[in-house]
Amino acid sequence: MRRISKLTRVAVGVASLALAATACGGTSSDSSSDSETTKGAKGLAIAYDIGGKGDQSFNDAAYAGLEKAKKEFGYETQDIEPTEGETDADKQQRLESLAKQGYNPVIGVGFAYGPAMEAAAKKYPKVSFGIVDSVVEGDNVASLVFAEQEASYLAGVAAAKATKTNTVGFVGGVDIPLIHKFEAGYKQGVEDTSGGKVKVISQYLTQTAEEGGFSSPDKGKAAAEGQIEKNADVVYQAAGLSGQGVIEAAAKAKVWAIGVDSDQYDQEALAPYKEYILTSALKDVGGAVYALAKSVEDDKPLTGTQTFDLKVDGVGLADSNPEMSEIAGLSDAVAKAKKEIIDGTIKVKTE
C-alpha cells in the first residue's frame, strides 16, 4: 500500500489544518452511564460500511487509519463489521455500544451511518463521533468529507490520455449523490483533456445499497464486461467491493482499470490483476480517521464539517504503476490539472 502510506504520512498536517478550521468555526453489558465515559478511556473504534474489511478500498483505508492511531497512541481499538440487511436502529445500537464501552472517538465509516450517528451522538454528548462521507449536525460530531470529484477529474485526465479507442467507462456502485461526484469529476476530466473526442459510458449497479451495489463483485464484473464490449478500453469504478469485479473484467480483457479510494495497484488481493490497474483515485480516509483520533488525543476534538481535498492531500491520484509514466503526456497532464484545481483555475463539477 505504498501510495496510501505516502498519504497517511501527511495526516499530521491534515490534522493541523483541520484543527485550525475547527478553531474557526460487539455489544456490552456494562451499565456505566455517559457521565462515566471519559476521553481516552479506551481509544478509537470504527464501524465499517457495506463490504466490510477486506474490500481493498474504502473500508480498508479506514482500517489503515485505525492501525496508525493504535500504533502511535498505544491504546485499545475496535473495528466492527456490518451485518446484512441491518437497519438504522442496528447501526445506532452498534455506535452506542462502542461509546458505552468507553471508546472515544467512535467513527461510522460511510454515509449510511447518518441517522444512527445523529441519535447516538445526542445520547453520548461527552464522546466524540465521526462520520465519513456525510454531514451530521452535532456539537460532538466531526463530518469527514472529501472532494472526490477532484481525484476523479485527475482519473479522467489519465483515462483520456490512456485510451486508444476514444471510449472509456464509469461504473458506479449505487445511484446516489455521493457517487455522482465521482462520475461528474471523471467525465469533466475526460472531456477537458480530450476536447470532447472521448466518449464516456456510465452505468450504476443498483439504485440502493441494500441491492448490493457496493458489495457484489459479480455485478461489477458484468457491468465492466458490457462496457468493454462497447469498445471501452479504460474503466473507472467507484463501487466499493463490487469494484473488484470491474478490475477482474478489465484484466481479463487486457484493458485498463482505474481503482478507487485506496491504491488498488498495491492491494495484495488484487495482485493477479495489477498489471492492468492504471491508477486509482485516492481518498485518504485513513488520514481523516487518524486526524480525528489525534484531535481527541490532544484534547481538541474536531467538530463540524472537515473537508479533505487536493490542497491538503486528502484526495489524489496514485502513481504506483510505472506504466503511467510510459503513456505520452499522461503524467504532465495530471500534474497540470492538479495545480489548476488547487489554484482555482479549474472548477470541478459535483454533478
Side-chain angles (χ1 to χ4, degrees), residues 17-304:
L17 287 167
L19 286 167
T22 302
C24 298
T27 57
S28 170
S29 60
D30 187 352
S31 61
S32 62
S33 66
D34 178 60
S35 63
E36 296 171 311
T37 301
T38 58
K39 173 246 169 198
K42 283 194 174 184
L44 169 64
I46 61 176
Y48 291 118
D49 196 6
I50 295 167
K53 186 161 63 175
D55 65 354
Q56 314 299 319
S57 182
F58 183 68
N59 289 298
D60 282 1
Y63 180 72
L66 177 141
E67 286 290 280
K68 178 178 173 66
K70 179 179 181 179
K71 182 177 180 180
E72 182 164 332
F73 307 132
Y75 54 34
E76 184 177 341
T77 61
Q78 187 172 169
D79 56 311
I80 300 183
E81 298 284 346
T83 57
E84 186 175 351
E86 67 184 21
T87 64
D88 287 340
D90 295 325
K91 291 182 176 69
Q92 181 180 337
Q93 182 180 37
R94 180 179 305 129
L95 297 175
E96 290 180 359
S97 174
L98 292 169
K100 188 175 183 180
Q101 291 175 62
Y103 289 99
N104 188 22
V106 174
I107 300 177
V109 184
F111 68 91
Y113 278 95
M117 179 71 64
E118 185 174 2
K122 288 178 180 177
K123 190 169 181 179
Y124 289 87
K126 294 183 180 180
V127 174
S128 290
F129 288 85
I131 183 165
V132 178
D133 277 351
S134 186
V135 174
V136 171
E137 300 297 328
D139 293 340
N140 58 329
V141 179
S143 299
L144 309 173
V145 297
F146 298 82
E148 295 95 349
Q149 71 277 8
E150 294 181 354
S152 296
Y153 185 100
L154 299 182
V157 172
K161 288 294 185 180
T163 183
K164 295 179 179 178
T165 64
N166 285 340
T167 303
V168 301
F170 172 80
V171 176
V174 180
D175 191 357
I176 53 174
L178 174 64
I179 306 303
H180 295 170
K181 290 171 67 180
F182 289 89
E183 181 188 14
Y186 180 65
K187 281 186 170 180
Q188 186 181 348
V190 170
E191 182 174 356
D192 288 355
T193 304
S194 70
K197 294 179 181 179
V198 175
K199 177 183 178 182
V200 180
I201 304 170
S202 294
Q203 181 177 343
Y204 287 89
L205 300 180
T206 63
Q207 294 299 306
T208 67
E210 290 74 20
E211 296 171 280
F214 291 131
S215 57
S216 305
D218 57 328
K219 293 182 187 294
K221 183 178 180 181
E225 288 173 342
Q227 294 184 351
I228 292 165
E229 287 178 1
K230 295 177 181 178
N231 223 26
D233 62 349
V234 184
V235 183
Y236 173 40
Q237 53 85 14
L241 185 64
S242 299
Q244 294 188 30
V246 174
I247 292 171
E248 181 184 351
K252 183 178 179 181
K254 297 184 178 181
V255 301
W256 290 119
I258 296 179
V260 75
D261 295 337
S262 297
D263 184 354
Q264 297 194 301
Y265 178 85
D266 277 343
Q267 296 294 319
E268 185 176 349
L270 298 174
Y273 316 120
K274 68 185 297 180
E275 179 182 353
Y276 298 99
I277 302 174
L278 176 64
T279 182
S280 297
L282 303 173
K283 284 171 58 171
D284 192 13
V285 176
V289 166
Y290 170 82
L292 179 55
K294 186 177 188 303
S295 75
V296 173
E297 187 71 12
D298 292 344
D299 206 19
K300 298 177 181 178
L302 296 175
T303 59

